[in-house]
Amino acid sequence: MTSDTYNVFYGTIVHSISINQLEIVSNSLIVVDNDKGVIISFEREVNDVENFLEKLDRPYKLFRLTPEQFLFPGLVDTHAHAPQYLFAGSGMDLQLLDWLNTYVFRAESSFKSSQVAKDAYTKVVSRFLRNGTTTCSWFATIHLEACKILVDTIQRLGQRAYVGKVNMDQNSPDFYIEASAQASLDDTRAFIEYTLEKQDQQKLITPVVTPRFAITCSSELMQGLGKLAQEYKLPIQTHLCENQNEIEFTCSLFPKSKNYTSIYADHGLLGDKSYMAHCVYMTDEEIDMLAEYNTGISHCANSNFSLHSGVCDVRRFLNKGVKVGLGTDVAGGFAPSMLDAIRSSFFASKCTLMAHRDRKEEYEHLGTAELVYLATLGGARVLGLQETIGNFAVGKAFDALVVDLNSENGSSVDLMGHETPLQKVEKFLFNGNDQSLAHVFVQGRRVAGSASSLE
């Protein structure tokens, strides 16, 4: 059904222009084409609203934001495991490899049941939307039917998403492993075809090639996945250099490759559509490789802390021009919220600063502008969606949050009346929650929000 009308939002608008430039403008207008869900006009400092509206060529509905509200870009989660939401918030007593064997593989194996998949995926996608994650890059499981259910669920609930069927044909438990490299590739092709057939004009859901990590993938499988990604022109997501024991074991499996990053390059899995989660322990040479291949990273600070993997120094990647976004990494990260990812990234940056300070070295921690960028436009760049989402540039999709800091409406933020616009944004970033999000939009469609309706 089409809607030959506009939605017009008037008030304070916040978004990233670049990694160091956060634009906060008051008395501004955004006009959204409800048929296409895209922004057709962004006018700053509009004093005569009625005069502007008279010039519109279609019927419209005006939404005036209050002084406690502002428009903010939808949050972009570049790394999350949908099935692991089963145990999110628990099981953080072990390091990565033991954690996988003790908790993860058993939980994910239960998704051989379609009913488990239907129940869990509805809950996790709904929760992420309520938390303002308008775009997410999901790992699913090895089960083809459950992966299809995740795609169907995302489409029904209206999120923008990259979805990957996980690939595992070695070094995995007997109850959770694919029969062979060819069987894994066949199911992956079937999943890709299914997801592409489900795409509509807006292409909200994209299949992503998803080798779990090199430990669980044979050379035959990784090479085949690289060819599939090339054939269908698809993105690739996986894990890289998360934990020191993982790195040592991985490199022992592939002795012909120079280092962990080279393993993926040698198998055709590095490129400008690839992105790697974690990247905690990277040599300068490996970071240079990512920059050379234009491969992005997903910084998952909560998970890095929770599984005591380490602290990723994001500044090393930014200084070399590597694309960086943020990820919740549920359930390695316990919180299904990108606001938590922002806060965890802030703390990781402060930890890095303190380590440099103790060595009497200069270091600049991540500031507010950078954190907003990494959670929105930076994540969009990692996913190759920077021309579609990430800020409010004209022509982009209207993926947006109406942030409401009025505590009388249930917000967890208390405003004292003296705050500057920047302070309101910072209070949202560090004290806000899902109750601070009155409305959540994807491609112009309201998909969640704490307010009872859009009025």
Side-chain angles (χ1 to χ4, degrees), residues 95-124:
Q95 292 194 51
L96 176 65
L97 298 182
D98 290 336
W99 176 78
L100 288 169
N101 285 308
T102 303
Y103 300 112
V104 173
F105 295 152
R106 292 194 179 279
E108 292 190 8
S109 70
S110 69
F111 282 74
K112 61 181 178 290
S113 163
S114 295
Q115 192 58 52
V116 169
K118 289 176 183 177
D119 293 343
Y121 286 153
T122 296
K123 289 180 180 178
V124 65

Side-chain angles (χ1 to χ4, degrees), residues 48 65 67 87 105 110 143 150 161 205 218-219 229-230 268 313 368 389 391-392 399 438 453:
D48 191 344
L65 305 182
F87 66 97
F105 295 152
S110 69
H143 311 102
L150 178 55
I205 305 176
S218 65
S219 284
Q230 186 175 27
D313 181 359
T368 300
I389 59 169
N391 63 11
F392 295 124
D399 287 16
S453 62

Side-chain angles (χ1 to χ4, degrees), residues 203-393:
K203 297 183 178 179
L204 291 183
I205 305 176
T206 300
V208 50
V209 172
T210 306
R212 181 173 214 112
F213 59 171
I215 288 174
T216 59
C217 295
S218 65
S219 284
E220 179 186 355
L221 178 54
M222 286 195 286
Q223 288 168 349
L225 291 172
K227 292 175 181 177
L228 274 179
Q230 186 175 27
E231 177 183 346
Y232 288 95
K233 297 180 173 57
L234 295 179
I236 299 169
Q237 63 176 351
T238 189
H239 301 84
L240 175 63
C241 293
E242 180 177 354
N243 168 286
Q244 290 175 326
N245 293 335
E246 168 220 8
I247 295 169
E248 182 179 355
F249 184 32
T250 303
C251 291
S252 74
L253 296 173
F254 301 92
K256 293 183 180 180
S257 294
K258 186 174 184 180
N259 51 47
Y260 195 163
T261 306
S262 295
I263 294 169
Y264 291 135
D266 294 344
H267 290 86
L269 295 172
L270 279 193
D272 61 356
K273 290 186 176 182
S274 305
Y275 47 103
M276 308 283 127
H278 300 289
C279 299
V280 178
Y281 301 100
M282 301 280 288
T283 65
D284 288 341
E285 182 180 9
E286 288 177 288
I287 296 177
D288 288 339
M289 282 185 67
L290 295 184
E292 177 185 350
Y293 280 92
N294 196 24
T295 295
I297 74 162
S298 175
H299 177 42
C300 304
N302 182 315
S303 175
N304 295 338
F305 283 129
S306 296
L307 301 183
H308 30 111
S309 297
V311 179
C312 176
D313 181 359
V314 169
R315 187 71 66 192
R316 292 178 66 205
F317 297 86
L318 295 175
N319 288 345
K320 293 201 172 189
V322 176
K323 297 175 291 188
V324 179
L326 304 184
T328 58
D329 193 28
V330 166
F334 55 77
S337 167
M338 282 297 292
L339 290 177
D340 175 86
I342 289 169
R343 296 161 192 169
S344 299
S345 298
F346 176 76
F347 287 128
S349 183
K350 286 297 185 80
C351 288
T352 306
L353 180 148
M354 289 184 281
H356 279 76
R357 182 192 63 196
D358 292 344
R359 297 193 298 266
K360 302 195 183 305
E361 298 171 350
E362 293 294 324
Y363 188 83
E364 184 179 358
H365 67 81
L366 294 174
T368 300
E370 292 171 308
L371 290 167
V372 171
Y373 173 88
L374 293 175
T376 56
L377 188 55
R381 285 192 65 223
V382 166
L383 301 182
L385 294 173
Q386 66 273 15
E387 300 302 321
T388 304
I389 59 169
N391 63 11
F392 295 124

Side-chain angles (χ1 to χ4, degrees), residues 18-78:
S18 68
I19 190 167
N20 294 310
Q21 187 178 359
L22 178 65
E23 183 177 40
I24 305 175
V25 285
S26 302
N27 302 324
S28 297
L29 277 164
I30 281 183
V31 182
V32 179
D33 182 333
N34 290 329
D35 183 14
K36 298 179 180 178
V38 300
I39 301 164
I40 65 164
S41 181
F42 181 0
E43 302 294 328
R44 295 160 175 81
E45 302 294 345
V46 177
N47 295 317
D48 191 344
V49 178
E50 300 306 323
N51 182 58
F52 176 89
L53 295 175
E54 288 176 0
K55 300 175 184 177
L56 294 179
D57 60 352
R58 294 186 191 175
Y60 62 85
K61 186 170 185 179
L62 174 65
F63 301 94
R64 290 181 179 267
L65 305 182
T66 70
E68 296 85 16
Q69 295 177 328
F70 55 84
L71 210 57
F72 195 86
L75 299 166
V76 180
D77 189 341
T78 56

